[in-house]
Amino acid sequence: KLKMAINKIIIMFALVCLLVAPTAFAYEVNLASGFTLKSEDGGNPPMNVTPTVTLYSATRLDNLVAATVDTENAALKNGYQKFYPNGNFISGDSPQLPNTLPVYTYYSETLKDTLTTACAKGLAWAKNTSNGYTLVRLEGYCNPNQSSAKDTSFLQYWSPDRKDSFMVAAGSQGEKSAVAAKYELLWQECWVPQPPPIWKTWPDNSSAKGLPLPKSTDLLAFEYLENMNANYGGADTWYPSWSQDGNLYSSWTDGHVGGISSGSGGKTNQGYNSTTGYVTIVGDDPFNLTLKNVNVFTSSSFPYQSRYPCGQLSYNGTWYYGTYALNNPNTTTPQGDFIGPNPGPNCGNWCVQGPVVSFRHTTDGGMTWFEPIMNQSNPMDNVFNETSIHNQKVKFGAAHFVDFGKNMEHSPDGKAYIVGHGASRPEAIQAWMLGDEVYMARVIPTVENMNDRSKWEFYAGGNGNDAKWVQGDISEAKPLFTWNDHTGVVTMTYHPAIKKFILVISTASFYPSMVKQFDTYFLEADSITGPWKGVTYMSEFGPESYFVHFPTKFLSSAVNTTAGVYDTFLSYSANFAFRDGSNPPGSGYHWSLQQSRFRLSSAFQARLAEKK
């Protein structure tokens, strides 16, 4: 009888364990796309891993991968330049775990090559005396076998021409660079498990930076799920618009996507040709998207030095694609018009913000395009008749359409809205990521209206129902927001689950440098015209993130009342010039989609519940 009683207790205990055992996925988000995203919730301690970074010596034609401070410092001392993050190794500071492989760094003076390797083939290559390698140090550890589909795969590439080995994380920017440089894939090195995702709060520097707005009492903090960053392509300037057919239609440029390259800096000695990329993005899961119909469009940047993509809008089957001009200071147009002098000091990259040129359109998904201004006849030949010659400032620098959701379903009045960063002070440095102000305009979105400035209405002050609009006269446009020397590329998204407009602004971390880190901050309002409140100011996010926005397709369809949060995905590119690290992990020179969320106040959650 005692044995039977004990068996019953064991069975009951097992049943209780089954009932209370955690599910495989502790965190679920129902996205506006219709996809239910399942991920592990944070809380587990991160595994002991060390991030790696790629460095390159143009003198030695040598790539190396560093996971230790000693390797990185030695490379920098010898003239190597730091480039992209390259995944993680299991930390070499801890005792070696069972069934792992040491990852070693070797150097060959004969080949002028740094070899990072762990597998038997790599070690045999290193120990072949004819190659001349000597052991430098241990970098970390990795696994000889794959344990999960999420494991990072490390591959060994080789360039016979450069005599250069290159161990890269599969799918990383390093691998893309190796393939583009025609390196040969030699072998699989090893795998490293991906650390468990952890929710982290990005510190808010609003007070320290002096944000001139009251603090939001509704949205309390911005959090991101570390190691949950999807990335696509090898280019920047992604602005996906959610079409009525369910796909996203986006720009891209200055890089490679699907084997196709684009560069928007106009070749002034080759007819000012500038290319801008476009792509159709298919899928509802942000971690499993497909890029289709990748191609480029060629137009002229004349009389400016470049012509870049800006606002994208897909509405009722028509895709509108905006472009804008940039210039370097103290240059002269072919007609003799002086660009600048831009106030010093020199910002380092595209220091003169030019005007929006036009909005081209297609009705067949990009098979054919109609461009109203292939070649500007003069610096003011553009949709809003603005110019940056002779140190003049523009109001709509890189204009971006407000994201109202699928086929603009949440537009307050059926009109398309744009926001752009501007300046009016003569002493202001208005660069591609720097300015003083934010401006707004709206138009009924038709092919006839889009490039007719007489049809556009410009925001002229006031909030909510008291907002004023002036049609056709950009000189009457008033700033939606002003913070001297602290604006830059600006986007806006309507978030239906919380009934809020969120304005995203990115700017220089170290004024006025356009080649160092960038800051990103969020403002929120109940009305599209404000009044605005500050949510969070994120210093050195990326650490050099830009073109930041919230695509509506990947917003949560409802508030998570259990956790007191509202889930989002943040879209951006990062680190085109500043390549020291990747934070959040996965940030880089590609299209990033970072799983993220806002923490909500209890009072705001209660108000939302009352409105249902």
Side-chain angles (χ1 to χ4, degrees):
K1 289 182 179 179
L2 178 60
K3 185 176 181 180
M4 291 177 62
I6 292 172
N7 286 338
K8 286 182 180 180
I9 292 172
I10 292 172
I11 292 170
M12 290 177 66
F13 180 76
L15 289 172
V16 169
C17 289
L18 287 173
L19 289 172
V20 301
T23 58
F25 300 98
Y27 199 82
E28 293 190 2
V29 181
N30 294 316
L31 300 177
S33 66
F35 183 79
T36 299
L37 181 69
K38 299 179 180 181
S39 60
E40 300 171 38
D41 198 357
N44 299 318
M47 63 183 297
N48 193 12
V49 297
T50 301
T52 70
V53 64
T54 298
L55 298 101
Y56 180 70
S57 168
T59 303
R60 299 177 179 178
L61 301 178
D62 180 36
N63 285 285
L64 69 80
V65 176
T68 63
V69 174
D70 289 343
T71 299
E72 182 176 333
N73 287 343
L76 294 172
K77 184 178 179 180
N78 284 284
Y80 284 70
Q81 183 181 359
K82 187 181 295 186
F83 277 87
Y84 306 106
N86 192 45
N88 300 316
F89 291 158
I90 300 170
S91 176
D93 294 333
S94 303
Q96 183 177 359
L97 298 174
N99 302 316
T100 60
L101 301 174
V103 182
Y104 292 115
T105 292
Y106 293 85
Y107 182 71
S108 169
E109 184 61 34
T110 304
L111 302 176
K112 296 290 189 294
D113 176 51
T114 306
L115 170 67
T116 309
T117 190
C119 71
K121 289 182 179 179
L123 294 175
W125 174 269
K127 293 175 182 177
N128 185 332
T129 55
S130 63
N131 292 326
Y133 287 99
T134 57
L135 177 64
V136 179
R137 66 178 55 86
L138 174 75
E139 293 294 324
Y141 302 98
C142 59
N143 290 339
N145 300 305
Q146 185 177 14
S147 59
S148 165
K150 293 182 179 181
D151 287 1
T152 299
S153 169
F154 282 92
L155 308 170
Q156 190 67 253
Y157 278 84
W158 171 257
S159 170
D161 295 333
R162 297 180 179 180
K163 300 293 188 293
D164 179 37
S165 62
F166 194 9
M167 182 176 173
V168 298
S172 68
Q173 186 60 45
E175 184 180 28
K176 294 170 187 174
S177 298
V179 171
K182 302 188 184 308
Y183 280 56
E184 300 172 357
L185 176 61
L186 294 183
W187 54 68
Q188 174 80 50
E189 282 281 353
C190 56
W191 288 264
V192 174
Q194 181 174 320
I198 302 293
W199 281 107
K200 291 190 174 182
T201 301
W202 197 277
D204 178 18
N205 281 349
S206 299
S207 297
K209 290 289 184 176
L211 179 66
L213 289 172
K215 196 79 169 63
S216 173
T217 55
D218 295 339
L219 310 186
L220 302 182
F222 177 77
E223 303 173 347
Y224 64 97
L225 191 55
E226 192 174 56
N227 301 310
M228 296 299 284
N229 187 308
N231 55 76
Y232 302 91
D236 62 17
T237 326
W238 299 77
Y239 288 110
S241 178
W242 194 5
S243 172
Q244 64 180 0
D245 64 10
N247 295 328
L248 294 170
Y249 292 88
S250 181
S251 56
W252 63 272
T253 195
D254 281 3
H256 298 80
V257 176
I260 295 176
S261 63
S262 175
S264 293
K267 300 175 177 63
T268 55
N269 60 347
Q270 299 178 30
Y272 286 79
N273 281 345
S274 168
T275 59
T276 47
Y278 56 93
V279 61
T280 303
I281 304 167
V282 180
D284 298 326
D285 176 2
F287 291 101
N288 188 26
L289 300 174
T290 302
L291 308 185
K292 293 186 175 182
N293 305 326
V294 182
N295 216 324
V296 299
F297 185 89
T298 302
S299 60
S300 172
S301 67
F302 181 92
Y304 296 92
Q305 292 179 322
S306 67
R307 186 170 179 176
Y308 275 84
C310 56
Q312 307 291 304
L313 174 65
S314 181
Y315 178 64
N316 286 352
T318 300
W319 178 4
Y320 300 96
Y321 189 124
T323 56
Y324 70 100
L326 290 173
N327 232 79
N328 286 308
N330 305 323
T331 56
T332 304
T333 70
Q335 297 104 327
D337 291 311
F338 190 59
I339 304 293
N342 202 61
N346 194 311
C347 80
N349 178 253
W350 295 130
C351 300
V352 178
Q353 175 66 58
V356 175
V357 180
S358 64
F359 297 97
R360 69 179 69 119
H361 76 274
T362 176
T363 56
D364 55 16
M367 298 295 292
T368 53
W369 287 94
F370 301 90
E371 171 57 71
I373 305 179
M374 285 292 293
N375 187 57
Q376 301 164 84
S377 60
N378 62 72
M380 297 185 71
D381 181 16
N382 54 71
V383 62
F384 295 138
N385 202 33
E386 293 198 283
T387 182
S388 57
I389 66 170
H390 304 303
N391 198 34
Q392 296 182 72
K393 311 300 179 184
V394 300
K395 294 183 175 181
F396 291 88
H400 297 104
F401 287 98
V402 177
D403 192 340
F404 290 124
K406 187 176 183 180
N407 205 40
M408 278 196 358
E409 62 180 317
H410 295 292
S411 170
D413 47 22
K415 296 176 181 178
Y417 286 65
I418 59 170
V419 288
H421 74 287
S424 50
R425 298 180 302 137
E427 65 271 24
I429 297 179
Q430 187 184 8
W432 69 280
M433 282 280 288
L434 194 59
D436 290 351
E437 301 151 343
V438 173
Y439 288 85
M440 176 182 281
R442 66 186 185 185
V443 71
I444 297 173
T446 66
V447 170
E448 296 76 21
N449 289 352
M450 196 61 72
N451 290 286
D452 183 351
R453 62 179 161 271
S454 70
K455 303 298 184 182
W456 282 85
E457 298 174 82
F458 300 97
Y459 171 78
N463 307 129
N465 294 331
D466 296 326
K468 299 179 179 62
W469 298 86
V470 175
Q471 185 165 336
D473 188 358
I474 195 172
S475 68
E476 293 296 316
K478 299 294 189 294
L480 185 71
F481 171 68
T482 300
W483 190 9
N484 289 350
D485 301 328
H486 284 83
T487 69
V489 170
V490 57
T491 63
M492 187 190 294
T493 298
Y494 179 67
H495 297 248
I498 58 172
K499 299 177 173 57
K500 292 276 190 185
F501 293 90
I502 295 182
L503 201 61
V504 182
I505 301 174
S506 300
T507 191
S509 298
F510 301 98
Y511 174 88
S513 177
M514 295 289 97
V515 292
K516 295 182 180 180
Q517 299 95 314
F518 293 146
D519 297 347
T520 296
Y521 59 100
F522 305 137
L523 311 180
E524 63 92 346
D526 296 331
S527 166
I528 195 169
T529 53
W532 299 94
K533 295 181 179 180
V535 178
T536 190
Y537 188 106
M538 305 189 296
S539 295
E540 301 179 35
F541 182 82
E544 188 191 40
S545 293
Y546 54 101
F547 305 153
V548 185
H549 63 292
F550 291 100
T552 50
K553 187 172 184 177
F554 303 127
L555 301 179
S556 176
S557 58
V559 167
N560 182 334
T561 54
T562 302
V565 297
Y566 161 64
D567 290 272
T568 62
F569 272 80
L570 192 63
S571 167
Y572 60 95
S573 295
N575 309 338
F576 84 99
F578 187 82
R579 296 161 180 161
D580 189 359
S582 176
N583 191 22
S587 304
Y589 195 73
H590 42 246
W591 179 33
S592 279
L593 283 170
Q594 173 64 58
Q595 187 172 353
S596 52
R597 66 189 186 186
F598 288 100
R599 188 153 295 283
L600 310 180
S601 70
S602 299
F604 180 51
Q605 293 180 69
R607 293 205 311 273
L608 289 174
E610 291 174 0
K611 293 179 181 179
K612 287 185 178 181

